[in-house]
Coordinates of all heavy atoms in Angstrom, one line a residue:
M1 N 143.9 48.9 78.6 CA 144.2 48.7 77.3 C 145.7 48.9 77.1 O 146.3 49.8 77.7 CB 143.4 49.6 76.3 CG 142.0 49.2 76.3 SD 141.2 50.3 74.9 CE 139.6 49.8 75.2
A2 N 146.2 48.1 76.2 CA 147.7 48.2 76.0 C 147.9 49.2 74.9 O 147.1 49.5 74.0 CB 148.1 46.8 75.5
D3 N 149.1 49.9 75.0 CA 149.4 50.8 74.1 C 149.5 50.2 72.7 O 149.9 49.0 72.5 CB 150.8 51.5 74.4 CG 150.8 52.4 75.6 OD1 149.7 52.6 76.2 OD2 151.9 52.9 76.1
C4 N 149.3 51.0 71.7 CA 149.4 50.6 70.3 C 150.9 50.2 70.0 O 151.8 51.0 70.4 CB 148.9 51.6 69.4 SG 149.2 51.1 67.6
E5 N 151.1 49.0 69.5 CA 152.5 48.6 69.2 C 153.1 49.4 68.1 O 154.3 49.4 67.9 CB 152.4 47.1 68.8 CG 151.7 46.8 67.5 CD 150.1 46.5 67.8 OE1 149.7 46.7 68.9 OE2 149.5 46.1 66.8
K6 N 152.4 50.2 67.3 CA 153.0 51.1 66.3 C 153.3 52.5 66.8 O 153.8 53.3 66.0 CB 151.8 51.2 65.2 CG 151.2 49.9 64.7 CD 152.1 49.4 63.6 CE 151.4 48.1 63.1 NZ 152.3 47.1 62.7
L7 N 153.0 52.8 68.0 CA 153.2 54.1 68.5 C 154.5 54.7 68.3 O 154.7 55.9 67.9 CB 152.8 54.1 70.1 CG 152.9 55.5 70.8 CD1 152.0 56.5 70.2 CD2 152.7 55.3 72.3
Q8 N 155.6 54.0 68.6 CA 157.0 54.6 68.5 C 157.4 54.8 67.1 O 158.3 55.6 66.8 CB 157.9 53.7 69.3 CG 157.6 53.5 70.7 CD 157.7 54.9 71.4 OE1 158.4 55.8 71.3 NE2 156.7 55.1 72.3
T9 N 156.8 54.1 66.1 CA 157.2 54.2 64.8 C 156.2 54.8 63.8 O 156.4 54.9 62.6 CB 157.7 52.8 64.2 OG1 156.5 52.0 64.3 CG2 158.8 52.3 65.0
C10 N 155.1 55.2 64.3 CA 154.0 55.7 63.5 C 154.4 57.0 62.7 O 154.7 58.0 63.4 CB 152.7 56.1 64.3 SG 151.4 56.6 63.3
P11 N 154.4 57.0 61.4 CA 154.9 58.1 60.6 C 154.0 59.3 60.8 O 154.5 60.5 60.7 CB 154.8 57.6 59.2 CG 154.7 56.2 59.2 CD 154.1 55.8 60.6
F12 N 152.8 59.1 61.2 CA 151.9 60.2 61.5 C 152.5 61.1 62.5 O 152.5 62.4 62.5 CB 150.6 59.8 61.8 CG 149.6 60.9 62.1 CD1 149.0 61.6 61.1 CD2 149.3 61.4 63.5 CE1 148.2 62.7 61.3 CE2 148.4 62.4 63.6 CZ 147.8 63.1 62.6
F13 N 153.0 60.5 63.6 CA 153.6 61.3 64.7 C 155.1 61.7 64.4 O 155.5 62.8 64.8 CB 153.5 60.5 66.1 CG 152.0 60.4 66.4 CD1 151.4 59.2 66.3 CD2 151.3 61.5 66.8 CE1 150.0 59.1 66.6 CE2 150.0 61.4 67.2 CZ 149.3 60.2 67.1
T14 N 155.8 60.8 63.8 CA 157.2 61.1 63.7 C 157.5 62.1 62.6 O 158.5 62.7 62.5 CB 158.0 59.8 63.4 OG1 157.5 59.1 62.3 CG2 158.0 58.9 64.6
D15 N 156.6 62.1 61.6 CA 156.7 63.0 60.5 C 155.8 64.3 60.5 O 156.1 65.4 60.4 CB 156.5 62.3 59.1 CG 157.5 61.3 58.9 OD1 158.5 61.3 59.5 OD2 157.2 60.5 57.9
K16 N 154.5 64.1 60.8 CA 153.5 65.1 60.6 C 153.2 65.9 61.9 O 152.8 67.1 61.8 CB 152.2 64.5 60.2 CG 152.3 63.7 58.9 CD 151.3 64.3 57.9 CE 151.4 63.5 56.6 NZ 152.5 63.9 55.8
M17 N 153.5 65.4 63.0 CA 153.1 66.2 64.3 C 154.3 66.7 65.1 O 154.1 67.2 66.2 CB 152.2 65.1 65.1 CG 151.0 64.6 64.5 SD 149.8 65.9 64.1 CE 149.2 66.4 65.7
T18 N 155.4 66.7 64.6 CA 156.6 67.2 65.4 C 156.5 68.6 65.7 O 157.0 69.0 66.8 CB 157.8 66.9 64.6 OG1 157.8 67.6 63.3 CG2 158.2 65.4 64.3
N19 N 155.8 69.4 64.9 CA 155.7 70.8 65.3 C 154.5 71.2 66.2 O 154.2 72.4 66.4 CB 155.8 71.7 64.0 CG 154.7 71.4 63.1 OD1 154.0 70.4 63.1 ND2 154.4 72.4 62.2
M20 N 153.7 70.1 66.5 CA 152.5 70.4 67.3 C 152.4 69.3 68.4 O 151.6 68.4 68.5 CB 151.3 70.2 66.4 CG 151.2 71.2 65.3 SD 149.7 71.3 64.3 CE 149.2 69.6 64.1
P21 N 153.3 69.5 69.4 CA 153.5 68.4 70.4 C 152.3 68.3 71.3 O 151.8 67.2 71.7 CB 154.7 68.8 71.3 CG 154.9 70.3 71.0 CD 154.3 70.5 69.6
N22 N 151.5 69.4 71.6 CA 150.3 69.3 72.4 C 149.3 68.5 71.8 O 148.5 67.7 72.4 CB 149.9 70.7 72.9 CG 150.8 71.3 73.9 OD1 151.6 70.6 74.6 ND2 150.8 72.7 73.9
T23 N 149.0 68.8 70.5 CA 148.0 68.1 69.7 C 148.4 66.7 69.5 O 147.5 65.8 69.7 CB 147.8 68.8 68.4 OG1 147.5 70.2 68.5 CG2 146.7 68.1 67.5
A24 N 149.6 66.4 69.3 CA 150.1 65.0 69.1 C 149.9 64.3 70.4 O 149.4 63.2 70.3 CB 151.5 65.0 68.7
N25 N 150.1 64.8 71.5 CA 149.9 64.1 72.8 C 148.4 63.8 73.0 O 148.1 62.8 73.5 CB 150.6 64.9 74.0 CG 152.0 64.8 74.0 OD1 152.6 63.8 73.5 ND2 152.7 65.8 74.6
L26 N 147.6 64.8 72.7 CA 146.2 64.5 72.9 C 145.7 63.4 71.9 O 145.0 62.5 72.5 CB 145.4 65.8 72.5 CG 143.8 65.7 72.6 CD1 143.4 65.3 73.9 CD2 143.2 67.0 72.1
I27 N 146.1 63.4 70.7 CA 145.7 62.3 69.8 C 146.3 61.0 70.3 O 145.6 60.0 70.2 CB 146.1 62.7 68.3 CG1 145.3 63.9 67.9 CG2 146.0 61.5 67.4 CD1 145.8 64.4 66.4
K28 N 147.5 61.0 70.7 CA 148.2 59.8 71.2 C 147.3 59.2 72.4 O 147.1 58.0 72.4 CB 149.5 60.0 71.7 CG 150.5 60.1 70.5 CD 151.9 60.4 71.0 CE 152.9 60.7 70.0 NZ 154.2 60.9 70.4
Q29 N 146.9 60.1 73.3 CA 146.1 59.6 74.4 C 144.8 58.9 73.9 O 144.3 57.9 74.6 CB 145.8 60.7 75.4 CG 146.9 61.2 76.1 CD 147.6 60.1 77.0 OE1 146.9 59.4 77.7 NE2 148.8 59.9 76.9
I30 N 144.1 59.5 73.0 CA 142.8 59.0 72.5 C 143.0 57.7 71.7 O 142.2 56.7 72.0 CB 142.2 60.1 71.6 CG1 141.8 61.4 72.4 CG2 140.9 59.4 71.0 CD1 141.3 62.5 71.7
Y31 N 143.9 57.7 70.8 CA 144.0 56.5 69.9 C 145.1 55.6 70.2 O 145.0 54.3 70.0 CB 144.2 57.1 68.5 CG 143.0 57.8 68.0 CD1 143.0 59.2 67.9 CD2 141.8 57.2 67.5 CE1 142.0 59.9 67.5 CE2 140.7 57.8 67.1 CZ 140.8 59.2 67.1 OH 139.7 60.0 66.6
C32 N 146.3 56.0 70.6 CA 147.3 55.1 70.8 C 147.4 54.5 72.2 O 147.8 53.4 72.4 CB 148.7 55.9 70.5 SG 148.7 56.8 69.0
V33 N 147.1 55.2 73.2 CA 147.1 54.7 74.6 C 145.6 54.4 74.9 O 145.4 53.5 75.7 CB 147.6 55.8 75.5 CG1 147.6 55.3 76.9 CG2 149.0 56.2 75.1
G34 N 144.7 54.9 74.3 CA 143.3 54.6 74.5 C 142.9 53.5 73.7 O 143.3 52.3 74.0
D35 N 142.1 53.7 72.7 CA 141.5 52.6 72.0 C 142.0 52.5 70.5 O 141.5 53.3 69.6 CB 140.0 52.8 71.8 CG 139.2 51.5 71.2 OD1 139.9 50.6 70.8 OD2 138.0 51.5 71.1
K36 N 143.1 51.8 70.4 CA 143.7 51.8 69.0 C 142.9 51.3 67.9 O 143.1 51.6 66.7 CB 145.0 50.9 69.1 CG 144.8 49.5 69.3 CD 146.1 48.8 69.5 CE 145.9 47.3 69.7 NZ 147.1 46.6 70.1
M37 N 141.8 50.5 68.2 CA 140.9 50.0 67.2 C 140.1 51.1 66.6 O 139.5 51.0 65.5 CB 140.1 48.9 67.8 CG 140.8 47.7 68.1 SD 141.7 46.9 66.8 CE 140.5 46.5 65.6
Q38 N 140.1 52.3 67.2 CA 139.3 53.4 66.7 C 140.2 54.2 65.8 O 139.7 55.2 65.1 CB 138.8 54.4 67.8 CG 137.8 53.6 68.7 CD 136.5 53.1 67.9 OE1 136.0 53.9 67.1 NE2 136.2 52.0 68.1
C39 N 141.5 54.0 65.7 CA 142.4 54.7 64.8 C 142.3 54.3 63.4 O 142.5 53.1 63.1 CB 143.8 54.5 65.4 SG 145.1 55.3 64.3
A40 N 142.1 55.3 62.5 CA 141.9 55.0 61.1 C 143.2 54.4 60.6 O 143.2 53.4 59.7 CB 141.6 56.2 60.3
R41 N 144.4 54.9 61.0 CA 145.6 54.4 60.5 C 145.8 52.9 61.0 O 146.2 52.1 60.1 CB 146.7 55.2 61.0 CG 146.7 56.7 60.6 CD 147.9 57.4 61.0 NE 149.1 56.9 60.5 CZ 149.6 57.1 59.3 NH1 149.0 57.9 58.5 NH2 150.8 56.6 58.9
Y42 N 145.5 52.6 62.2 CA 145.6 51.2 62.7 C 144.7 50.2 61.9 O 145.1 49.2 61.5 CB 145.3 51.2 64.1 CG 145.6 49.8 64.7 CD1 146.9 49.6 65.2 CD2 144.6 48.9 65.0 CE1 147.2 48.3 65.7 CE2 144.9 47.7 65.6 CZ 146.2 47.4 65.9 OH 146.6 46.2 66.5
Q43 N 143.4 50.7 61.6 CA 142.5 49.9 60.9 C 143.0 49.5 59.6 O 142.9 48.4 59.1 CB 141.1 50.6 60.9 CG 140.4 50.7 62.1 CD 139.2 51.6 62.0 OE1 138.6 51.7 61.0 NE2 138.8 52.2 63.2
V44 N 143.5 50.4 58.8 CA 144.0 50.2 57.5 C 145.3 49.3 57.5 O 145.3 48.3 56.8 CB 144.4 51.6 56.8 CG1 145.1 51.3 55.4 CG2 143.1 52.4 56.5
N45 N 146.1 49.6 58.6 CA 147.3 48.7 58.7 C 147.0 47.3 58.9 O 147.5 46.3 58.3 CB 148.2 49.2 59.9 CG 149.5 48.5 60.0 OD1 149.5 47.6 60.7 ND2 150.5 48.8 59.2
I46 N 146.1 47.0 59.9 CA 145.7 45.6 60.2 C 144.9 44.9 59.1 O 144.9 43.7 59.1 CB 145.1 45.4 61.6 CG1 143.7 46.0 61.6 CG2 145.9 45.9 62.7 CD1 142.8 45.9 62.8
A47 N 144.4 45.7 58.2 CA 143.7 45.1 57.0 C 144.8 44.7 55.9 O 144.3 44.1 54.9 CB 142.7 46.1 56.4
G48 N 146.0 45.0 56.1 CA 147.1 44.7 55.2 C 147.1 45.6 54.0 O 147.7 45.3 53.0
I49 N 146.6 46.8 54.2 CA 146.7 47.8 53.1 C 147.7 48.9 53.5 O 147.7 49.3 54.7 CB 145.3 48.5 53.0 CG1 144.2 47.4 52.6 CG2 145.3 49.6 51.9 CD1 142.8 47.8 52.6
P50 N 148.5 49.4 52.5 CA 149.5 50.4 52.9 C 148.7 51.6 53.4 O 147.7 52.1 52.7 CB 150.1 50.7 51.5 CG 150.0 49.4 50.7 CD 148.7 48.9 51.1
V51 N 149.2 52.2 54.4 CA 148.6 53.3 55.0 C 149.0 54.6 54.4 O 150.2 54.9 54.3 CB 148.9 53.5 56.5 CG1 148.2 54.6 57.2 CG2 148.5 52.2 57.3
P52 N 148.0 55.5 53.8 CA 148.4 56.7 53.2 C 149.1 57.6 54.2 O 148.6 57.6 55.4 CB 147.1 57.3 52.8 CG 146.1 56.2 52.7 CD 146.6 55.2 53.7
P53 N 150.1 58.3 53.9 CA 150.9 59.1 54.8 C 150.1 60.2 55.4 O 150.3 60.6 56.5 CB 152.1 59.6 54.0 CG 152.0 59.0 52.6 CD 150.8 58.2 52.6
D54 N 149.0 60.7 54.6 CA 148.3 61.8 55.1 C 147.0 61.4 55.8 O 146.1 62.2 56.0 CB 148.0 62.8 53.9 CG 147.2 62.1 52.8 OD1 147.1 60.8 52.8 OD2 146.6 62.9 52.1
L55 N 146.8 60.1 56.1 CA 145.6 59.6 56.8 C 145.6 60.0 58.3 O 146.6 59.6 59.0 CB 145.5 58.2 56.6 CG 144.2 57.6 57.3 CD1 143.0 58.0 56.6 CD2 144.2 56.0 57.2
F56 N 144.7 60.7 58.8 CA 144.6 61.2 60.2 C 144.0 60.1 61.0 O 143.1 59.4 60.4 CB 143.9 62.4 60.3 CG 144.7 63.7 60.0 CD1 145.1 64.0 58.7 CD2 145.1 64.6 61.0 CE1 145.8 65.1 58.4 CE2 145.8 65.7 60.8 CZ 146.1 65.9 59.5
P57 N 144.3 59.9 62.2 CA 143.8 58.8 63.0 C 142.3 58.9 63.2 O 141.5 57.9 63.4 CB 144.5 59.0 64.4 CG 145.7 59.6 64.1 CD 145.5 60.5 62.9
H58 N 141.7 60.1 63.1 CA 140.3 60.3 63.3 C 139.4 60.4 62.0 O 138.2 60.6 62.0 CB 140.1 61.7 64.0 CG 140.4 62.9 63.3 ND1 141.7 63.3 63.3 CD2 139.8 63.7 62.5 CE1 141.9 64.4 62.6 NE2 140.7 64.6 62.0
D59 N 140.1 60.0 60.9 CA 139.5 60.2 59.6 C 138.7 58.9 59.2 O 139.0 58.1 58.4 CB 140.5 60.5 58.5 CG 140.0 61.1 57.3 OD1 138.7 61.0 57.1 OD2 140.7 61.6 56.4
R60 N 137.5 58.9 59.9 CA 136.6 57.7 59.8 C 136.0 57.6 58.4 O 135.9 56.4 57.8 CB 135.5 57.7 60.8 CG 136.1 57.6 62.2 CD 134.9 57.4 63.3 NE 135.6 57.2 64.6 CZ 135.7 58.1 65.5 NH1 135.4 59.3 65.2 NH2 136.2 57.8 66.6
D61 N 135.6 58.6 57.8 CA 135.1 58.6 56.4 C 136.0 58.1 55.4 O 135.7 57.2 54.6 CB 134.6 60.0 56.0 CG 133.4 60.5 56.8 OD1 132.6 59.6 57.3 OD2 133.2 61.8 56.9
R62 N 137.3 58.5 55.5 CA 138.3 58.2 54.5 C 138.6 56.6 54.7 O 138.8 55.9 53.7 CB 139.5 59.0 54.6 CG 140.5 58.8 53.5 CD 141.5 59.9 53.4 NE 142.5 59.5 52.5 CZ 143.8 59.9 52.6 NH1 144.1 60.7 53.6 NH2 144.7 59.5 51.7
V63 N 138.7 56.2 55.9 CA 139.0 54.8 56.2 C 138.0 53.9 55.7 O 138.3 52.8 55.1 CB 139.4 54.5 57.7 CG1 138.1 54.4 58.6 CG2 140.3 53.3 57.8
R64 N 136.8 54.3 55.8 CA 135.6 53.4 55.2 C 135.8 53.3 53.7 O 135.6 52.3 53.1 CB 134.2 54.0 55.5 CG 133.8 53.7 56.9 CD 132.3 54.0 57.1 NE 132.1 55.5 57.3 CZ 132.1 56.1 58.4 NH1 132.3 55.5 59.5 NH2 131.9 57.4 58.5
K65 N 136.3 54.4 53.0 CA 136.5 54.3 51.6 C 137.6 53.4 51.2 O 137.5 52.7 50.3 CB 136.7 55.7 51.1 CG 135.5 56.6 51.1 CD 135.7 58.0 50.6 CE 134.5 58.9 50.7 NZ 134.9 60.4 50.5
I66 N 138.7 53.6 52.0 CA 139.9 52.7 51.8 C 139.6 51.3 52.0 O 140.1 50.5 51.2 CB 141.0 53.2 52.7 CG1 141.5 54.6 52.4 CG2 142.2 52.2 52.6 CD1 142.4 55.3 53.4
L67 N 138.8 51.0 53.0 CA 138.5 49.6 53.2 C 137.3 49.1 52.5 O 136.9 47.9 52.6 CB 138.2 49.4 54.9 CG 139.5 49.8 55.7 CD1 138.9 49.7 57.2 CD2 140.6 48.9 55.4
G68 N 136.7 49.9 51.7 CA 135.6 49.5 50.8 C 134.3 49.3 51.5 O 133.5 48.5 51.0
G69 N 134.1 50.1 52.5 CA 132.8 50.0 53.3 C 132.1 51.1 53.4 O 131.6 52.0 53.0

C-alpha cells in the first residue's frame, strides 16, 4: 500500500503528537503507512468535509456521526 498523501502535512501529527513520538510512529504505521482508508481523518477529508482538529485516526464512532452514518 502507498503511504497516505496527507502524512507530511496532517495536523494531527504536526500539532497534536509532537510530544509523543513513539505513539505517533505507531499510529502512523497503522493508518498512514498501513491502511489509510481506516483513518477517520482521511475518511472525513475525502468526503469533502472539514476535518475537526481533535479527530483521532482511530475514532470510528465519531467519524460515523460526522459522515451521517
Side-chain angles (χ1 to χ4, degrees):
M1 287 189 190
D3 290 357
C4 177
E5 61 275 8
K6 311 267 183 220
L7 178 60
Q8 298 302 317
T9 58
C10 181
F12 181 77
F13 295 108
T14 58
D15 294 344
K16 302 235 180 282
M17 301 297 290
T18 55
N19 63 339
M20 299 187 319
N22 292 334
T23 303
N25 284 333
L26 177 63
I27 292 172
K28 285 178 186 179
Q29 288 302 310
I30 295 169
Y31 296 102
C32 309
V33 178
D35 188 358
K36 67 183 177 186
M37 294 306 296
Q38 296 301 313
C39 176
R41 298 182 62 81
Y42 189 80
Q43 291 174 26
V44 171
N45 182 267
I46 63 171
I49 299 170
V51 180
D54 61 342
L55 181 65
F56 279 69
H58 65 276
D59 201 344
R60 291 186 178 99
D61 291 335
R62 190 165 171 212
V63 79
R64 278 191 286 271
K65 290 176 186 173
I66 292 170
L67 297 178

